[in-house]
Amino acid sequence: MDSHGQNEQRVVWAVMETGIGPLLLAATREGLVNIVFHAGDEVRERALERLASRLGTTPVEEPDSPLLAEAIGQVEAYFAGERQSFELPLDWSLISGFNREVLRELAAGVPFGAVVGYGDLAGRVGQPGAGQAVGTAMGANPLPVVVPCHRVVESDGGIGGFGGGLETKRRLLALEGVLPEPLF
């Protein structure tokens, strides 16, 4: 509690190594709030500054916090091929409106090893024809991997875009058996 009797916001973070490079995971008391790809020093610093600005508090490195420790364990198990879904509380405060609706549908309705087209996902949230807006929502996803935007592809069979880079998307889809493993 702060001096006004309010619960003050607390944001904890950690960086973990994965088969697709370092990931920054951040959490609030509500749940996992952000995952950032390619979290080397520069990317990590920018991400932490953005979180501080958006959430109104300076994030604290605390990999042993219970929620982060659980998230790290589940993400490690996913990359080891031992987990196909995540059971973590999520804090959706970094996204709202249509984007949040689309990402919630994606998280709930597109399981491991499956893909969905941008337009199909738009239809699932009652907005047929909003495939381009779905693409924007995927780019705004604050929780990639856990909210699996890598599973959204083009209807013509193309891989589509990806905020973590196309090679990262290919590797995640290969991990889930959707694409063959890259040769190199």
Side-chain angles (χ1 to χ4, degrees), residues 112 168-182:
F112 182 94
T168 299
K169 186 171 186 172
R170 283 187 191 96
R171 295 194 60 188
L172 290 168
L173 290 171
L175 173 75
E176 295 189 13
V178 176
L179 291 177
E181 283 288 343

Side-chain angles (χ1 to χ4, degrees), residues 102-110 116 121 138 147-149 151-152:
V102 167
L103 290 170
R104 284 181 181 251
E105 173 58 31
L106 173 64
V110 183
V116 66
L121 190 54
M138 295 306 103
V147 177
C149 52
R151 296 179 189 154
V152 183

Side-chain angles (χ1 to χ4, degrees), residues 2-23:
D2 66 17
S3 60
H4 302 288
Q6 301 294 314
N7 285 327
E8 75 182 69
Q9 178 74 281
R10 179 165 163 73
V11 180
V12 294
W13 66 274
V15 172
M16 65 179 292
E17 287 299 326
T18 71
I20 58 168
L23 294 180

Side-chain angles (χ1 to χ4, degrees), residues 51-63:
L51 279 170
S53 171
R54 298 274 314 271
L55 298 175
T57 189
T58 302
V60 176
E61 186 174 16
E62 197 173 305

Side-chain angles (χ1 to χ4, degrees), residues 32-33 90-96 100 103-104 107 142-143 147:
L32 196 61
V33 72
L90 302 178
D91 178 338
W92 294 94
S93 64
L94 294 178
I95 197 148
S96 61
R100 183 187 291 187
L103 290 170
R104 284 181 181 251
L143 294 161
V147 177

Side-chain angles (χ1 to χ4, degrees), residues 9-173:
Q9 178 74 281
R10 179 165 163 73
V11 180
V12 294
W13 66 274
V15 172
M16 65 179 292
E17 287 299 326
T18 71
I20 58 168
L23 294 180
L24 178 139
L25 282 68
T28 65
R29 286 184 174 93
E30 299 298 315
L32 196 61
V33 72
N34 201 202
I35 298 175
V36 178
F37 289 113
H38 314 298
D41 293 344
E42 189 176 314
V43 169
R44 183 188 68 236
E45 290 309 313
R46 280 197 318 265
L48 293 172
E49 287 171 11
R50 200 168 41 253
L51 279 170
S53 171
R54 298 274 314 271
L55 298 175
T57 189
T58 302
V60 176
E61 186 174 16
E62 197 173 305
D64 295 329
S65 77
L67 181 58
L68 280 181
E70 180 63 26
I72 289 167
Q74 288 190 29
V75 171
E76 286 174 342
Y78 169 81
F79 280 105
E82 299 165 357
R83 174 176 278 281
Q84 295 186 352
S85 63
F86 296 93
E87 298 168 14
L88 297 166
L90 302 178
D91 178 338
W92 294 94
S93 64
L94 294 178
I95 197 148
S96 61
F98 176 80
N99 291 355
R100 183 187 291 187
E101 183 180 1
V102 167
L103 290 170
R104 284 181 181 251
E105 173 58 31
L106 173 64
V110 183
F112 182 94
V115 294
V116 66
Y118 293 94
D120 293 335
L121 190 54
R124 288 186 185 192
V125 296
Q127 298 291 327
Q132 205 165 12
V134 167
T136 300
M138 295 306 103
N141 181 4
L143 294 161
V145 179
V146 172
V147 177
C149 52
H150 60 277
R151 296 179 189 154
V152 183
V153 297
E154 295 173 350
S155 60
D156 65 2
I159 195 168
F162 194 63
L166 292 182
E167 183 57 30
T168 299
K169 186 171 186 172
R170 283 187 191 96
R171 295 194 60 188
L172 290 168
L173 290 171

